[in-house]
Structures are given as structure tokens and as C-alpha cells.
């Protein structure tokens, strides 16, 4: 294994130190003069000095390269740190924007939660729940129907008041709408913890719906005054879906009693159909008016045709007058040409032309 220059230099220095120590020892003991040093030692010393100079130059070059590399590395680290700082700033900006959005969403959720609590408070009270159903029913009816076709809190025979009475022509006649619904039993179904509680809640819910349907049929279907059917408005799509999905017998019983269960969506569709029927009825009622207007329109068309014919005759007369005027202008132009030719022709010809009785007659 080849020795490194540094190791050789160290060995040479150690050898020189040993020689110097021996010389000093010999001089101190008064020994015989030390013979002249071996020329190889001088050569070795020269080599050691050369190695030392080379080592210093290599070390200097190594230091320079190391310094350059460290400087380059420092520049790269600085650039990377600056880029990382920029990216971190952008990320922090995006994070702030997202936090602002999350904060706004959290505020909306908190507000919605407050509203849900308020709605729950409303629905937990029977009187407030009834008012809520009436308000929702009124909004839907006012949106679809004309004011003359409905009445809220209408009084029927016997002093019975219906939440909304749709004024339809016979048949079918006025139709009553009730806006109350049994929410307690439905909540009991949702809050049931076991099968026994669920069965009991379903039984109570079925009984409440059945009792309510019978009450609507007895109070709001009055022979000779209203239609032979009524509507039970359920202002909750969830309750409506629960009834139709899990209690089809209740829907059938309500149908036999002529009480139709409707939700906000189905009520909107029903009222839209009724509005189309009312429009058709009004069209039939106004059929004689429309027929009279059509007769009057026919007379106006006849008068228009007569006047157009008269105008056509005037146009034909004007065309004939223009044609006659055109004939006269042609004659005038021809005579003007004859007059212009008078000074250019021979006297005999001119005299003949002037004395020509045919031309005089035509003129």
C-alpha cells in the first residue's frame, strides 16, 4: 500500500529530530567529532522540503476548491430557503383563505343550527306547529291559485272552520284543506331504541293518523256545500314518505273516506292541476263571448274586403289615367320633334307638312 505524502513528511521530520538529538548527545559527552552527515540525509531533507511545499500547494488548492464548493452550496441553500419562504408564504395565504371560508361556513352552520333549534321548538308545540303548517299551506296556495279561488279559515255549516277552502265550480265543488299533522307519534318512531318501542310507536302513529283522517272526513266534507273529498296537508316530506312507505293501509283507509294525504310537493302539483281546470272552466263560461267576438271579427273582415275592392278600383282608374296621359305626352313629344325639323327641311316639304290635313287632324 503506497504511503501518503503527509506520512512520509512526518517520518522525515522524525528522522531529522533523531539525528539532531544524537549530535547533541555526542557533543555533550565530548566524544569525537561527528562525521559529516550522509548526503542522503541532505537529499532526504530536500525531498521533505519539496513534499512540504507540494503539500502546502495541494492544501491551498484543496482549501480553494472547498471554499468554492461551500460558497456554491451556500448560494443553493439560500435560493432554496428563499423559494421555500415564497412557497410557505403562498401556502399560508391559501391557508388563510381556506380558514376564512371555513370560518364563514362554521358561522352558517351555527346560524342553521340556531334555526333548526328554533324550528324544533316550533314543531314541539302543538299550537305553534299548527301555525307553522298553516303558514306553509298559505304560501303554497297563494303561489299557485288566484285570490278569488281560495279562502283561509273559512266557516262551514255548523260553525266548523277549515284551514283553507278551495273555491272550485260544481263539480266537484269547494274542497277543504287541513294543515295539522301528528308529529309526536312520528318522533316516537324515530327515537325508538328497540323493536318493542318501535312497534308501539308505529301503532300509536297509525292510530293518530286514522283518528285525524276520520275527523277531517266528518268536519270538512259537507254534502251539498263542499266536494265529496278533502285534503290532509302534511307539511313534512319525511312524514308523508313514512306514511306511504310503511303504512299503506292508512292511505287506503283515507282514500275510502275521500281524504287525500298531500305533502308540499304533491299539494303544489294538485293545485297546479286545479288551476288548469279552473282556466278551462272560465274558457267554457266565456265561450259565448268569444263566439260573439268571432262574429264581429268576421264582419270587420267583410268590411275590410269591400274597402280593399274599392281601393283596387281606384288603383285601376289611376292606371288608366296614367296610360292616357302617357299617350298625350307621346303626341306632344312627337309634335315638338316636328317643330324642330321645320328649319332643317326644304321649303316645299315644310309647306307640305304644314298644309297636310292629316297631321292637322291628328293634332
Amino acid at each position: 500500500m503506497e504511503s501518503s505524502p503527509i506520512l512520509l513528511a512526518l517520518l522525515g521530520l522524525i528522522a531529522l529530530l533523531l539525528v539532531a538529538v544524537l549530535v547533541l548527545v555526542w557533543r555533550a559527552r565530548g566524544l569525537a567529532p561527528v562525521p559529516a552527515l550522509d548526503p542522503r540525509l541532505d537529499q532526504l531533507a530536500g525531498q521533505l522540503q519539496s513534499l512540504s511545499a507540494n503539500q502546502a500547494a495541494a492544501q491551498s488548492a484543496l482549501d480553494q476548491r472547498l471554499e468554492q464548493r461551500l460558497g456554491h452550496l451556500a448560494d443553493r441553500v439560500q435560493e432554496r430557503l428563499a423559494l421555500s419562504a415564497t412557497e410557505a408564504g403562498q401556502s399560508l395565504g391559501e391557508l388563510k383563505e381556506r380558514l376564512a371560508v371555513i370560518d364563514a361556513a362554521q358561522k352558517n352552520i351555527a346560524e342553521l343550527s340556531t334555526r333548526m333549534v328554533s324550528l324544533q321548538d316550533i314543531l314541539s308545540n302543538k299550537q305553534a306547529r299548527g301555525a307553522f303548517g298553516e303558514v306553509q299551506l298559505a304560501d303554497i296556495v297563494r303561489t299557485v291559485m288566484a285570490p278569488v279561488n281560495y279562502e283561509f279559515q273559512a266557516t262551514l255549516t255548523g260553525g266548523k272552520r277549515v284551514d283553507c277552502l278551495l273555491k272550485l265550480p260544481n263539480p266537484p265543488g269547494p274542497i277543504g284543506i287541513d294543515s295539522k299533522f301528528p308529529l309526536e307519534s312520528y318522533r316516537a318512531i324515530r327515537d325508538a331504541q328497540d323493536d318493542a318501542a318501535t312497534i308501539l310507536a308505529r301503532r300509536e302513529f297509525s292510530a293518530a293518523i286514522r283518528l285525524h283522517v276520520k275527523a277531517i272526513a266528518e268536519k270538512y266534507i259537507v254534502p251539498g256545500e263542499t266536494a265529496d273529498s278533502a285534503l290532509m296537508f302534511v307539511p313534512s316530506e319525511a312524514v308523508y314518505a313514512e306514511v306511504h312507505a310503511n303504512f299503506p293501509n292508512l292511505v287506503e283507509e283515507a282514500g275510502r273516506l275521500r281524504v287525500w294525504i298531500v305533502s308540499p310537493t304533491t299539494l303544489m302539483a294538485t293545485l297546479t292541476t286545479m288551476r288548469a281546470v279552473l282556466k278551462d272552466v272560465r274558457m267554457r263560461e266565456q265561450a259565448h263571448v268569444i263566439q260573439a267576438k268571432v262574429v264581429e271579427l268576421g264582419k270587420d273582415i267583410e268590411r275590410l274586403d269591400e274597402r280593399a275592392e274599392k281601393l283596387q278600383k281606384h288603383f285601376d282608374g289611376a292606371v288608366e289615367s296614367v296610360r292616357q296621359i302617357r299617350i298625350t305626352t307621346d303626341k306632344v313629344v312627337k309634335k315638338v320633334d316636328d317643330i324642330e325639323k321645320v328649319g332643317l327641311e326644304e321649303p316645299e316639304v315644310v309647306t307640305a307638312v304644314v298644309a297636310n290635313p292629316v297631321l292637322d287632324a291628328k293634332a
Side-chain angles (χ1 to χ4, degrees), residues 1 90 135 229 239 247:
M1 183 176 180
Q90 294 177 354
V135 171
S229 61
V239 178
F247 299 91

Side-chain angles (χ1 to χ4, degrees), residues 70-280:
L70 288 176
H72 182 64
L73 180 61
D75 293 338
R76 292 185 61 185
V77 170
Q78 187 68 24
E79 292 177 359
R80 186 60 182 174
L81 289 176
L83 180 61
S84 299
T86 304
E87 293 177 352
Q90 294 177 354
S91 299
L92 287 175
E94 295 176 357
L95 181 60
K96 288 181 180 179
E97 294 177 358
R98 293 181 180 178
L99 288 176
V101 173
I102 293 173
D103 188 27
Q106 186 175 3
K107 291 180 180 178
N108 293 332
I109 292 173
E111 184 179 358
L112 180 61
S113 177
T114 303
R115 292 182 180 179
M116 289 298 295
V117 172
S118 177
L119 179 62
Q120 185 176 4
D121 294 338
I122 293 174
L123 297 179
S124 62
N125 185 288
K126 291 184 178 180
Q127 186 176 2
R129 184 174 70 246
F132 172 74
E134 292 176 4
V135 171
Q136 190 174 6
L137 173 63
D139 290 340
I140 296 174
V141 172
R142 288 193 181 99
T143 301
V144 180
M145 305 295 289
V148 297
N149 298 127
Y150 62 83
E151 181 182 356
F152 296 110
Q153 300 300 320
T155 302
L156 302 178
T157 302
K160 299 174 183 177
R161 298 176 67 86
V162 60
D163 294 330
C164 180
L165 184 66
L166 299 177
K167 297 179 179 179
L168 303 178
N170 289 317
I175 297 178
I177 305 177
D178 183 83
S179 61
K180 304 173 185 64
F181 61 101
L183 182 63
E184 291 82 2
S185 301
Y186 174 75
R187 283 183 173 176
I189 295 175
R190 293 303 180 190
D191 297 338
Q193 301 295 329
D194 51 20
D195 294 340
T198 302
I199 294 172
L200 179 60
R202 288 181 179 277
R203 188 180 298 119
E204 293 178 354
F205 181 76
S206 178
I209 292 291
R210 186 177 289 107
L211 181 63
H212 191 52
V213 168
K214 290 181 179 180
I216 292 174
E218 293 174 357
K219 293 190 296 183
Y220 303 144
I221 299 178
V222 181
E225 184 178 358
T226 66
D228 61 349
S229 61
L231 300 178
M232 186 181 80
F233 176 63
V234 180
S236 172
E237 298 290 347
V239 178
Y240 178 81
E242 180 72 21
V243 171
H244 281 75
N246 299 321
F247 299 91
N249 58 327
L250 292 178
V251 179
E252 294 177 359
E253 291 181 15
R256 287 193 294 268
L257 293 175
R258 310 294 295 177
V259 176
W260 313 113
I261 304 173
V262 293
S263 67
T265 304
T266 56
L267 178 62
M268 181 73 73
T270 303
L271 293 179
T272 303
T273 304
M274 290 182 179
R275 184 179 62 180
V277 172
L278 289 172
K279 183 178 180 180
D280 184 65

